[in-house]
Amino acid sequence: MLALPATTRTLLLASLYPFRSLALHDYTPQFAIASAAYATMASDTSDAQTREGGKPMLARHRQQNDEAADIKSQTAARNSYFPLSYKDGVAQWWAGLSPAVTEHRVLSFIPYLRQPPTQTQTGGKQNGSSMSVDKSDAKEAAPVKTDSEDPYGPRMWHSDLVQLSGKNRFLNEFSVERLNETTSNNLVLLHGYGAGLGFYYKNFESLSRLPHWKLYALDMPGMGRSSRPPFTIKSKDREGKVREAESWFVDALEEWRVKRGIEKMTLMGHSLGGYMAVCYALKYPGRLDKLILASPVGIPEDPYAVSEAMPTEAEANNIAKEFADAETENLPSHQQPQKSSGAQPPPRRPYSKWLTTLWDANISPFSVVRFAGPLGPRLVSGWTSRRFAHLPAEEAQALHDYSYSLFRQKGSGEYALAYILAPGAFARSPLIRRIQGVGRQYLEPHSEPSVDNADRPASREDVKRVRETGIPVVFYYGDHDWMDVKGGRDAIERMGEEKRKALANATDEEMRLENGDVKVRVVKNAGHHVYLDGAEEFNKMVAEEMRDVEVRQRRLAGKR
């Protein structure tokens, strides 16, 4: 039997619980990784138990052998969850392909782009060390122009590393712009939890066809090929920790926007990227033409999630020495939910103590991959073999390599998840409580992604303040998405109510400029990754929304 330390077994068991919110998955890599690992252990055990010495069997021995054969057959089926062989897994771990190499390979499947540009300034180091940043000219990528064979060209494709303020803060950027015309609009794409911009490879070409639009895709801070600075939380109170974790991402996006000289943009985010897109709209009002949310996490409210204890500072600090004590059983003890005075706490969900302990200790599924060493690629294959099964084999393999190369990088932005989501994947500060503020905020600096209520009585000072007059918001869900479409429909109700309140007190000019609108659309034959599973239909839908932005801009400008 494959022997694993007790703590490793515990970690793998923890990953069995389907947290179903982590944006990369229709079912999570924790489940796939752990299922695969235990299938392997079961297989090893079964093989050892069914070896016979060739002696004649009695009836009871034949029965035992038949049962063993059945077990072995079942084990073989379980092993299908774990398709990568030990040999290939070790070979991939040893080869240590960098994220720059694997991202380049994925982007090479973009139509008309045979040789995509790939800056190699990040993504050099492996095995959990800090991702290297090399700003030398030799590591930069020259833009690539597609023209003669590009029916929608000429277009310029570029890979860049955008430096932000502070130490070791860079965002990996991929962009597409049309040449010989002015850029009037910008579409910016944010990926989900632990993923990278390469997952949008089926969308770049189609969504960059529209005249006068420039497309950007970004790796969020501490994820993908962006730099991996330490993630720390300084706030002491519960709400402050949530807001600080959110701001860690959205402040970087705002700094990037300023550096790129973009006045306004259409922002699209998938899953955790969708959550952050909403937070950005609340903290930085007036910067969005439209908000597109592809299966966003964190919309619904759950009584357990909003009362569950936050990770302590000591637990958060444990991530700095990730698994240094992996051979011991001394895991941090789980804190009980905070009780408010005079009120009964909501009933606790039946989550195991080890599950909530590891979650609150900020041990991510990617920690398991990093700790698994040569077993890592094999564990990841349990997820990638299913997630990309509908794709051509060559593309599926490229996405597997890309995923593993990102999963094994040093943990950084992934550690924000425990501050934003509670065990069970519901938000600690659910967006349904705040989403009504999208497009209704005062046009002034905000310290955090919180709501300016449109219905509160206006003070003398408020008369001088200018408020947003709404922005269009679109929710996309797959028709077999594990993310509940009800979250989007509840948001329609909340935002509609806020719109009615705002219009009740609106001036004639505010009425003329009113631009608020929200809707939910369902993509056929798609799961959580709506942009990938139903790429063709999704691209058509998003292109319609981009054209709608242009129509609204002409109307607001008084033009037909």
Side-chain angles (χ1 to χ4, degrees), residues 26 64 100 126 145 151 153 251 274 294 296 310 316 321 406 421 425 427 505:
D26 284 319
Q64 291 171 354
Q126 298 287 317
K145 180 180 177 181
D251 289 352
M310 298 289 288
K321 55 185 185 65
L406 296 182
L421 302 178
N505 301 318

Side-chain angles (χ1 to χ4, degrees), residues 155 173-178 183-191 197 200 202-218 253 256-257 260 262-270 277 287-294 472 474 476 531 538-550 553:
R155 286 179 281 187
E173 170 196 282
F174 185 73
S175 63
V176 192
E177 63 180 315
R178 298 173 57 83
T183 297
S184 303
N185 284 289
N186 298 279
L187 175 64
V188 179
L189 311 183
L190 300 179
H191 59 78
L197 59 83
Y200 284 118
K202 282 188 173 291
N203 314 109
F204 291 137
E205 190 279 320
S206 181
L207 297 182
S208 62
R209 294 177 183 177
L210 273 68
H212 308 293
W213 280 81
K214 183 171 183 178
L215 183 150
Y216 293 92
L218 301 175
L253 175 59
W256 170 85
R257 181 197 66 79
R260 282 297 182 235
I262 297 173
E263 183 65 22
K264 299 186 75 172
M265 57 190 173
T266 294
L267 182 60
M268 183 173 84
H270 171 246
R287 297 305 178 186
L288 299 183
D289 289 309
K290 178 172 284 190
L291 186 61
I292 300 175
L293 306 175
V474 185
Y476 289 101
Y531 61 92
F538 180 83
N539 290 338
K540 289 180 180 178
M541 288 181 174
V542 174
E544 291 174 9
E545 300 302 331
M546 295 165 70
R547 294 187 186 97
D548 177 68
V549 168
E550 298 173 336
Q553 288 172 338

Side-chain angles (χ1 to χ4, degrees), residues 391-466:
L391 297 173
E394 194 175 11
E395 294 180 30
Q397 181 62 50
L399 285 169
H400 164 80
D401 295 343
Y402 180 55
S403 299
Y404 173 63
S405 71
L406 296 182
F407 291 176
R408 72 184 298 187
Q409 295 299 315
K410 179 184 178 181
S412 176
E414 70 195 63
Y415 296 130
L417 195 70
Y419 294 96
I420 294 170
L421 302 178
F426 288 95
R428 298 186 187 275
S429 181
L431 294 179
I432 196 63
R433 292 183 175 183
R434 297 182 276 164
I435 200 164
Q436 72 276 9
V438 171
R440 304 293 170 187
Q441 301 284 76
Y442 285 114
L443 291 170
E444 58 192 37
H446 287 64
S447 60
E448 60 183 30
S450 297
V451 179
D452 299 329
N453 294 317
D455 61 337
R456 72 177 179 84
S459 65
R460 184 174 300 176
E461 290 76 16
D462 288 338
V463 175
K464 303 176 183 179
R465 303 167 73 187
V466 179

